[in-house]
Amino acid sequence: MQLQQPGSAGPASSQELLSQQTQDSGKSSSLPFGQLPSLSSLNGPTYVTAQLLVQQVAYALSDKIFTYSPETFDLDVALKQWRSQNECNTFGDIAGVSAMQTRAGAGSIALGYMFSQDFDLRKRHIPQSIIASSSSLQHLRPQLDQLSLLYSVANPVVAHVAAVDYAAGSSSSLVSDYVSSLALAEDLGMGLISSTSPHEIQHMALFATLLATTMPALHVYDGVHVGRETTRVVDILDRSGLSENYNVVLKATSGVEKKHVDNEGKVLRLLQALNEELGTDYKLFEYHGHPEAETVVVVFGSVEAMLATKIVTELAKDGERIGVINVRVYRPFVEEAFVEMLPKTTQAIVVLGQSNHQHDSPDALGHSRLYTDVLAATSFSLNTNHTPLVKDIRYSVEEVWTPAKMLGYLRHASTNVDLHEYVGSHPSLDALNKSTKQYTFWDLDESVAALASMSLGQLLSLDSASNVSMRSGYDNLVQGGTTRTDLRSSSRAIEASYPIDAADVTYIGEEKLLAEFDVLNSTKDESTLVLRLPGTKDEDLEKKLPVAFRKGVTSKKIQLFILDPLLSDKVSEDRNLELLLTQLAFLKITRPELLEADRKKLAASIGSSPEVLDAGAAEVEKTLRKIDLPESWSTLEPEVESFSLPRDININSFSKFEKNEEEPPSYLKTWETVAKGLVFKEAYGTKDALRPDLATKTAIVRVKEHRRLTPMTYDRNIFHIEFDLGDSGLKYDIGEALGIHAENDRHQVEEFIKWYGLNPDEVVEVPSREDPSLLENRTVYQALMQNVDIFGRPPKRFYEALSEFAEKDSEKQQLLALGIGANQEAVVEFKRRAEVDTITYADILLEFPSARPLFHDIVRLVAPMKRREYSIASSQKVQPDSVSLLIVTVGWVDPQGRDRFGQATRYLNDLPIGASVTVSIKPSVMKLPSRTEAPLIMAGLGTGLAPFRAFVQERAWQKQQGMLVGDVLLYMGSRHQREEYLYGEEWEAYQDAGIITLLGRAFSRDQPQKVYIQDRMRQTMDDVRKAYLHEHGSFYLCGPTWPVPDVTNVLEEAIAIDAKASGKRVDSRKEIEKLKDDLRYVLEVY
């Protein structure tokens, strides 16, 4: 069911429904009904989540927000969207939002921002906010500690913390962790405020921001349940309302006489002023229950306080002398305010304190932090001869609170009944559900109808006389992904951020879930259950349904309906219509009056037409049937063993399970595996194409010419290589680079294969060298030749990863030390290996023989080979069928006397005439001016002359075509003219032809005093000024980086001289920057 937005027209087709469903499936569970409202729409009665309101307050009242949200938690999804829409905060600025990683030093950027030299001191009074989960606090602690020490000169800082963390190895993967916040606040002297429900969270977020003007503040709330519950809040403050309340409260508490009080006094004044402004009655500690209670339970936390308050209130109505104190402000802990809340009749105070341990036990050491504060308050603040007994009942962070479980803890607190033995019900539990209709949906998250609950919640929320709440959870470890959604509807405000345990209607979308969960445990007696069971006849139900389920349905007198979508011809033809069918079936059972009401209005609500709605209702009549329960179902066969199932899903994710995980690469295969893809092309989707999987388009060319340009006796081998394009269809433009997909040396590969004991013909799946996310089937020999950079230089992480395979402890420790930089000696050793010894991956495998990973592990650990790019030294207009490069062979001798070579240049140098090479084109910034008459000033060192050969060829062709061409100034630099006058005869020929108008040759070592290209440019300053400044030419530099400052200085001098001659004052550096922007100052250096 899709809610039609204003302005939409016409019924939604099944394809449109599917499209919308696909979009909805990706929406965040931290947003109301998965939808993100605009910042301006948050005011008055509105459906929201607590997490959304926290983000609203942070955005409205902050200069900058630093967020620490794991990817699926979506704690900052609204902030990012509002920032992208350039929404303003209450101070008239666009709030900054910085999404940070949760790791060591996580808070350094936030701290550095506030104390940077560039910080605008006019914003020192504006709060800075942090949005984080409790799992981030340990990483933020060092910076928050520094902040506490420097707080007198810092901005107000408030951290809104969703109490949620992963608990590895626990029965509950996602837990509500308050222990981290309690410990941080106590140890660092931070304020700590707790929110109980979405209805008060905006006020508490505002209060925490106000408290931050006095001390660094933490605002904590349940991040598993409360933070993600969609519910209606009636008194939401909009942006201006937040601003007004913030400023009024600050003004009311900022008098001189009010500043000279301690933190306890300040927090009391702030809360009093906030209450006066909002018309509320919040207290630091809030008491509920019997006015003459003998037992008082103290709680801290969202769901804990909510449930304890509700149940104790009901117990007190029956005369039970029990009460509960909700700790709203834990730090500063105002002892006098706490004692004031205790009834004079109090005999025992029981603290429900969260602990990292499992449930309270006699041999458990220590106490909860909350217990320590309560004990101190009662011991030193009570002016009475009788001090109540203070008891600490600890519960684990893994505890999942339900009304029955809270009742058990309260019974344990007041009557000492054993916590683990208490089982039972009480009228107080039934009272929690009065006037509230409760619906539970169980389904696989990949089901077509999985979004029915969300759409139904949206539909019910359109009734202004009703309040709706909805919360979904995911268990991605059951049946490939299971979801449970709880939906409540009531005429009263709903505060119930805990699982439904007495559903009026239960929908089960997959029969397999009956074998995974005790779904009947959360159903009410005499309730209704809808089971989707396609293709099953009534006589086959007994065989299909588990025995315990059949008996439970009869014992609880549940009305059982079967929904069989296969009985609908329309659904059989289009499975996407099942979503609409599920929603209409649910409405028929739960809210038939909606189906009988204004059909046009209902159709508009679900994005359909009355005709489609009528047709859908007719299909419901075919597919939904009520089952008369046989008496035999009430008897459990004696031969069937009874066993208990989980009562609820284990929430281990806030989003559905994405089943697009890639198969781990690099598994060895036989040749038959590859042959199947070649023989059965249609079945395996095989196509004949040259690397169709790569974004980089490649081509095969052949070596046409290989000519050494330096003498054989010279120590530098610089050569010209030209490739025949043949029928490759390769096209290139002036200034572009040619990517060479080189191969490793054949002899080295064969030697490595022999030494490592590999089968060169074995087939392996390896990452593509151009896109590691794509896999290729290669033989081991091909992989080492073309994919795996086995003779490349390894990073630190390779040493660390290889240590896991070492069998000798000494080798394991040495590898690990090098990988993590365990000490200064290891750091120096790694640097020597990388920069002096030039160690390769293969060298390391040889050096540490006990570390012998399998080949598919080698492929995973060793980086793929990368293409090498070289500037093209030709114009395709002059050489239409070929492409040229200018290459210098890279070679050296390592400390062990071994000859080392650059992989790509060695590969190119060894290629014989006619050899095929895989190449690709890479764009470049080296472009000719659009005006052919614009002069060119080019400076190239060594092989940096390559693109300028292409430029000169292009200018010669333009002149041949009758175009007017500008001057060409070429400055070239090398060591010796005799050995390195690269393309010298060509340059002189072009000069004689009038293409090159100035040839500035700088051979640095041919004379006693070294001469460089900047010297030749300075000697011809007038020519540079004329071409560059007067005739609006372009300057290009290609080669190593070292001459850049000197050459730039010459150009700045030219600008200064020219300005002085014309009587102007200019900033030469700024003029260079302008020339860069105009693409008239272009560098390609390395």
Side-chain angles (χ1 to χ4, degrees), residues 683-878:
Y684 285 85
T686 305
K687 296 180 181 179
D688 293 325
L690 183 62
R691 303 310 314 277
D693 52 337
L694 298 180
T696 303
K697 298 304 178 183
T698 57
I700 300 295
V701 298
R702 297 187 181 278
V703 179
K704 180 180 181 180
E705 179 184 7
H706 185 293
R707 173 165 46 97
R708 177 164 175 152
L709 303 182
T710 55
M712 295 297 294
T713 56
Y714 192 54
D715 60 357
R716 300 187 76 208
N717 175 18
I718 303 177
F719 61 94
H720 167 90
I721 188 168
E722 188 171 336
F723 300 98
D724 183 2
L725 302 182
D727 58 357
S728 66
L730 186 72
K731 301 294 181 183
Y732 61 92
D733 291 326
I734 289 295
E736 291 186 327
L738 188 69
I740 300 295
H741 301 246
E743 297 180 358
N744 279 321
D745 180 75
R746 177 172 59 88
H747 298 293
Q748 285 186 308
V749 169
E750 290 173 351
E751 184 177 329
F752 179 83
I753 288 175
K754 182 178 180 180
W755 169 74
Y756 211 80
L758 299 172
N759 179 356
D761 298 323
E762 196 77 52
V763 177
V764 65
E765 212 170 38
V766 297
S768 164
R769 59 190 291 171
E770 303 306 325
D771 185 352
S773 66
L774 299 175
L775 303 178
E776 302 173 332
N777 286 315
R778 317 285 283 169
T779 65
V780 168
Y781 179 81
Q782 289 173 327
L784 288 172
M785 285 290 294
Q786 300 173 346
N787 292 79
V788 183
D789 196 15
I790 195 69
F791 304 112
R793 298 185 185 182
K796 285 185 177 180
R797 62 178 179 273
F798 177 75
Y799 288 84
E800 181 181 1
L802 189 63
S803 68
E804 299 179 7
F805 297 91
E807 296 179 359
K808 288 186 178 180
D809 189 66
S810 59
E811 293 187 3
K812 179 185 289 289
Q813 295 303 320
Q814 186 179 357
L815 284 166
L816 186 60
L818 289 168
I820 65 175
N823 49 50
Q824 185 61 30
E825 181 181 351
V827 172
V828 173
E829 171 67 5
F830 175 81
K831 187 175 182 180
R832 181 186 63 79
R833 286 169 166 268
E835 299 177 4
V836 179
D837 295 344
T838 58
I839 296 294
T840 68
Y841 290 98
D843 293 333
I844 298 174
L845 292 171
L846 180 64
E847 181 182 357
F848 299 92
S850 79
R852 204 170 179 84
L854 298 176
F855 186 72
H856 73 264
D857 289 316
I858 290 178
V859 173
R860 178 172 55 85
L861 298 176
V862 177
M865 294 167 64
K866 300 295 184 183
R867 68 173 179 175
R868 301 296 194 273
E869 287 112 14
Y870 300 92
S871 296
I872 293 176
S874 58
S875 166
Q876 198 163 22
K877 291 186 177 69
V878 177

Side-chain angles (χ1 to χ4, degrees), residues 714-716 973-980 1002-1012 1016 1042:
Y714 192 54
D715 60 357
R716 300 187 76 208
S974 61
R975 299 176 184 178
H976 304 284
Q977 180 173 2
R978 182 175 180 275
E979 286 85 6
E980 291 189 52
F1003 301 105
S1004 61
R1005 302 181 185 181
D1006 277 354
Q1007 59 282 316
Q1009 184 179 359
K1010 292 185 178 179
V1011 177
Y1012 300 105
R1016 295 301 187 212
W1042 65 262

Side-chain angles (χ1 to χ4, degrees), residues 241-389:
L242 287 169
S243 176
E244 180 181 352
N245 283 275
Y246 179 81
N247 291 323
V248 169
V249 173
L250 277 187
K251 184 177 180 180
T253 57
S254 60
V256 175
E257 75 284 357
K258 297 172 183 177
K259 291 185 178 180
H260 301 288
V261 294
D262 56 15
N263 286 336
E264 287 81 359
K266 290 178 182 178
V267 72
L268 283 167
R269 291 182 185 277
L270 281 172
L271 189 55
Q272 180 183 358
L274 184 66
N275 282 328
E276 292 174 355
E277 186 64 21
L278 297 177
T280 52
D281 189 28
Y282 296 120
K283 296 181 175 64
L284 305 184
F285 306 94
E286 296 179 346
Y287 178 81
H288 301 273
H290 200 286
E292 297 180 351
E294 295 179 352
T295 301
V296 175
V297 179
V298 182
V299 296
F300 179 90
S302 302
V303 180
E304 293 90 325
M306 180 190 302
L307 274 174
T309 298
K310 285 176 172 287
I311 296 176
V312 164
T313 300
E314 295 299 325
L315 293 175
K317 289 179 182 178
D318 293 339
E320 293 197 32
R321 301 181 69 177
I322 187 172
V324 62
I325 291 179
N326 168 29
V327 179
R328 182 178 296 284
V329 179
Y330 175 71
R331 280 290 182 273
F333 196 95
V334 184
E335 296 179 350
E336 295 81 0
F338 175 80
V339 171
E340 185 179 339
M341 288 293 104
L342 292 171
K344 300 186 184 306
T345 53
T346 303
Q347 297 182 15
I349 302 173
V350 180
V351 177
L352 277 187
Q354 193 181 72
S355 167
N356 286 323
H357 302 286
Q358 288 288 347
H359 298 285
D360 186 41
S361 59
D363 58 346
L365 301 176
H367 296 284
S368 66
R369 293 181 180 270
L370 185 57
Y371 167 83
T372 305
D373 288 290
V374 171
L375 181 63
T378 54
S379 299
F380 301 110
S381 300
L382 283 174
N383 297 321
T384 176
N385 294 327
H386 173 68
T387 301
L389 173 67

Side-chain angles (χ1 to χ4, degrees), residues 589-731:
I589 292 173
T590 60
R591 300 291 297 274
E593 72 278 7
L594 291 179
L595 290 177
E596 300 301 326
D598 187 345
R599 285 296 182 94
K600 183 177 292 187
K601 183 178 180 181
L602 178 61
S605 301
I606 64 175
S608 184
S609 67
E611 294 76 19
V612 173
L613 188 65
D614 289 339
E619 296 304 303
V620 171
E621 297 298 327
K622 298 178 184 178
T623 57
L624 183 68
R625 67 184 188 272
K626 184 179 179 181
I627 303 299
D628 294 326
L629 305 182
E631 293 184 5
S632 60
W633 284 20
S634 61
T635 305
L636 184 64
E637 290 87 340
E639 67 271 14
V640 177
E641 182 180 357
S642 177
F643 59 93
S644 61
L645 293 171
R647 299 180 177 184
D648 196 2
I649 66 171
N650 171 26
I651 298 178
N652 48 46
S653 179
F654 292 130
S655 61
K656 63 180 292 186
F657 177 47
E658 298 295 340
K659 302 177 179 62
N660 58 352
E661 294 182 359
E662 299 177 1
E663 180 184 352
S666 313
Y667 285 105
L668 291 175
K669 299 179 178 181
T670 61
W671 65 267
E672 291 91 343
T673 305
V674 181
K676 290 178 183 178
L678 297 175
V679 176
F680 306 104
K681 293 184 178 181
E682 292 183 0
Y684 285 85
T686 305
K687 296 180 181 179
D688 293 325
L690 183 62
R691 303 310 314 277
D693 52 337
L694 298 180
T696 303
K697 298 304 178 183
T698 57
I700 300 295
V701 298
R702 297 187 181 278
V703 179
K704 180 180 181 180
E705 179 184 7
H706 185 293
R707 173 165 46 97
R708 177 164 175 152
L709 303 182
T710 55
M712 295 297 294
T713 56
Y714 192 54
D715 60 357
R716 300 187 76 208
N717 175 18
I718 303 177
F719 61 94
H720 167 90
I721 188 168
E722 188 171 336
F723 300 98
D724 183 2
L725 302 182
D727 58 357
S728 66
L730 186 72
K731 301 294 181 183

